[in-house]
Amino acid sequence: MSVITIEKRILEKNDEIAAQNRRLLQTNHTFTVNLLSSPGAGKTTLLEKTLLHLDPLHVAVIEGDVQTDRDAQRISAIGFQAVQIITQGGCHLDAALVRDALNSLLLPECRLLFIENVGNLVCPAAFDLGEDCKVVIASTTEGEDKPIKYPRVFREASLCLLNKIDLVSVLDFDRRAFYSHIQSVHADLKVIEISAKTGEGMNDWLSWIQQTAMQTNKTQPC
Amino acid sequence: MHELKLAREIFDLVDAALQEHAMKSLKIVHCKIGELQPLIEEQLQSCYQILIENTRLAGSCLHIERVPAQARCRKCGREFDLDELHLFCPHCQSTQLVILSGDELLISDLETDTCQ
Ligand SMILES: Nc1nc2c(ncn2[C@@H]2O[C@H](COP(=O)(O)OP(=O)(O)O)[C@@H](O)[C@H]2O)c(=O)[nH]1
Ligand SMILES: [Mg+2]
Ligand SMILES: [Zn+2]
C-alpha cells in the first residue's frame, strides 16, 4: 500500500472561475448581488418591483432556473438586460455558468447586477459565483423556522429580506420566533421586512443597495 | 443534489493526480469534509461509484472524514466547538467569531495497492 498526499480543494475549479468573475465585475465597477431563496419566496417578483426604481441602462439580471426562460422574459419585458441560465436539472448556479452569462452582458454600462439563483436554500450556498454579496429572501408563507433549517445560507448572507410581509397577519407568522432564530444563526444580520405586492420596505431595500454598492465599489450604482 | 457536482470534481481531480503521479490500482480516496457543509454522504458515495464505472478509478472508494466545526472568539480569544445553530461564544456571548474549521471540502490523500 502507498499513500500520496494531494490536499486539493474539491471546488478548486469553481473558486478559480469565481475569482475571475469577481475581477471582471470589479474592473467594470459592477456591484453584484446573488439572490437566494426557496422556490416561490418571491425573488422574481421582488426583482421586477425593484427594477421599476432603477435605470435600465445600468442594471442587468442573470436568471437561474432548472427549466424555462420565463423569469428572464419577465425581466426583459420591463426593458432590462436579462440572461437566462437553464441548469437542466442542476440545483444551483456555479461560477462557470455565470461566466458564460457575463459574456453576453454589456458590463461596462452595468453598475448593478442581480443574479437570481435557482430556488433552493442548500446547494447554491456552496458555490461562489464571484458576487459581492449574498442576499437571502425568506417569506412569511414559509414559516418562521427557515433560519435554523438552513443556517449556512443565513450565516453567509449580508442581508435578509423578509418578503410577503403583507400576509403576516393572515398567516399568524410568528415574528418573534423568526427574529430569535436569526439571532441564533447570525446575530448581526440585517433584516428588511418587505412586500413585493404593496411596496412596503422597498425604500429601505433600495437604500441598502445604494449604500452597500458605494462601500464596495466607491461608485453610485444608479 | 450538489453531491453529483462534487463527485464529478473529485473524479476529475483524482484522475489528473493518477496521471501526474503515474499511479495504478487506486483503492481509497480520502476526503475531509467539514461539518458545516450540508451534504449527504451516501449520495456523494453513490454518485462517485456511478462515475468511476469502467474508468481507471474503478474499484476505488471514498473515505469521508467529517471535520468538526471550531471557532475562536474575537473578543475573549477562547476557542470552542461551534454549533451553527447557536453562533456565539459560549464564554462571553460575543457574536464576533472566526470560524477555524468545519468548512472544508478537501481531497487529502490517495491510497493505492502496491502489489500489482
Ligand atoms: N402576497 C404576496 N405575494 C407575493 C409577494 N411576492 C411574491 N408573491 C407571489 O409569490 C409567487 C411566487 O413568486 P416568484 O417571484 O415567482 O418567486 P421565485 O420563485 O422566488 O422567483 C407569485 O405568485 C407572486 O405573485 C408578496 O410580497 N406578497
Ligand atoms: Mg423566479
Ligand atoms: Zn468570547
Side-chain angles (χ1 to χ4, degrees):
Chain A
M1 189 196 75
S2 74
V3 175
I4 296 188
T5 299
I6 64 171
E7 292 291 338
K8 287 262 182 201
R9 277 177 300 121
I10 296 172
L11 290 180
E12 151 190 292
K13 202 168 76 193
N14 186 76
D15 293 347
E16 273 165 25
I17 300 172
Q20 289 162 13
N21 291 349
R22 188 165 282 117
R23 273 197 298 278
L24 176 69
L25 291 162
Q26 277 169 358
T27 313
N28 286 287
H29 303 285
T30 307
F31 177 63
T32 305
V33 180
N34 183 1
L35 289 169
L36 303 145
S37 84
S38 359
K43 295 181 295 301
T44 314
T45 315
L46 259 177
L47 271 178
E48 287 171 318
K49 294 300 167 72
T50 305
L51 295 175
L52 297 179
H53 302 269
L54 299 171
D55 181 348
L57 287 176
H58 300 301
V59 184
V61 178
I62 294 175
E63 285 290 345
D65 268 302
V66 173
Q67 278 301 340
T68 84
D69 64 351
R70 289 172 63 96
D71 283 0
Q73 284 180 24
R74 283 165 65 179
I75 303 299
S76 309
I78 48 175
F80 286 76
Q81 280 196 84
V83 186
Q84 182 76 50
I85 299 173
I86 297 175
T87 62
Q88 289 172 341
C91 51
H92 59 273
L93 292 180
D94 64 36
L97 291 169
V98 169
R99 176 186 56 195
D100 298 344
L102 289 175
N103 284 334
S104 48
L105 283 174
L106 268 174
L107 283 185
E109 300 297 318
C110 179
R111 296 284 73 78
L112 174 60
L113 172 65
F114 293 104
I115 303 175
E116 177 178 338
N117 217 310
V118 179
N120 178 332
L121 285 174
V122 183
C123 312
F127 296 87
D128 184 9
L129 305 179
E131 74 273 15
D132 289 303
C133 61
K134 295 186 167 100
V135 170
V136 62
I137 302 175
S139 64
T140 54
T141 46
E142 299 165 75
E144 32 309 271
D145 57 4
K146 285 290 167 308
I148 50 171
K149 283 191 177 155
Y150 306 97
R152 187 187 181 91
V153 37
F154 284 86
R155 182 169 71 243
E156 292 188 346
S158 305
L159 174 72
C160 170
L161 297 174
L162 177 56
N163 190 35
K164 309 195 190 179
I165 204 69
D166 55 293
L167 298 176
V168 76
S169 48
V170 196
L171 294 165
D172 293 325
F173 179 84
D174 185 346
R175 270 198 176 92
R176 273 190 39 203
F178 179 78
Y179 283 102
S180 103
H181 296 327
I182 292 277
Q183 181 71 25
S184 59
V185 301
H186 185 171
D188 304 322
L189 181 61
K190 183 181 165 66
V191 178
I192 297 176
E193 298 186 354
I194 198 164
S195 165
K197 188 168 176 184
T198 66
E200 184 181 339
M202 187 54 77
N203 286 338
D204 286 349
W205 161 226
L206 291 166
S207 354
W208 183 89
I209 296 172
Q210 298 281 349
Q211 275 169 22
T212 316
M214 279 292 279
Q215 283 160 13
T216 313
N217 277 343
K218 317 277 181 286
T219 60
Q220 202 71 29
C222 15
Chain B
M1 254 298 270
H2 64 305
E3 286 81 359
L4 175 58
K5 168 82 175 179
L6 296 180
R8 284 205 184 108
E9 299 297 314
I10 293 173
F11 181 95
D12 289 346
L13 289 166
V14 171
D15 191 53
L18 288 185
Q19 182 131 10
E20 185 188 336
H21 299 280
M23 287 172 87
K24 286 201 184 99
S25 65
L26 177 69
K27 284 291 159 220
I28 303 174
V29 178
H30 289 277
C31 298
K32 288 187 183 154
I33 296 184
E35 276 177 350
L36 298 173
Q37 290 288 346
L39 67 80
I40 303 168
E41 284 179 34
E42 292 71 29
Q43 273 184 16
L44 185 61
Q45 295 280 10
S46 29
C47 291
Y48 180 79
Q49 288 305 325
I50 292 165
L51 289 173
I52 64 174
E53 269 173 35
N54 304 316
T55 73
R56 63 174 142 186
L57 279 65
S60 68
C61 65
L62 298 180
H63 269 204
I64 299 173
E65 176 194 336
R66 292 311 291 247
V67 184
Q70 295 204 298
R72 184 185 329 112
C73 174
R74 281 188 209 270
K75 206 165 152 208
C76 73
R78 276 182 272 202
E79 293 183 8
F80 49 90
D81 292 339
L82 186 71
D83 168 3
E84 62 177 334
L85 296 185
H86 298 97
L87 214 66
F88 50 82
C89 170
H91 308 289
C92 76
Q93 324 304 317
S94 166
T95 54
Q96 301 300 308
L97 310 179
V98 190
I99 295 183
L100 300 172
S101 65
D103 255 338
E104 298 76 1
L105 276 178
L106 290 174
I107 302 172
S108 52
D109 311 281
L110 304 181
E111 212 173 298
T112 56
D113 251 344
T114 37
C115 27
Q116 290 166 20

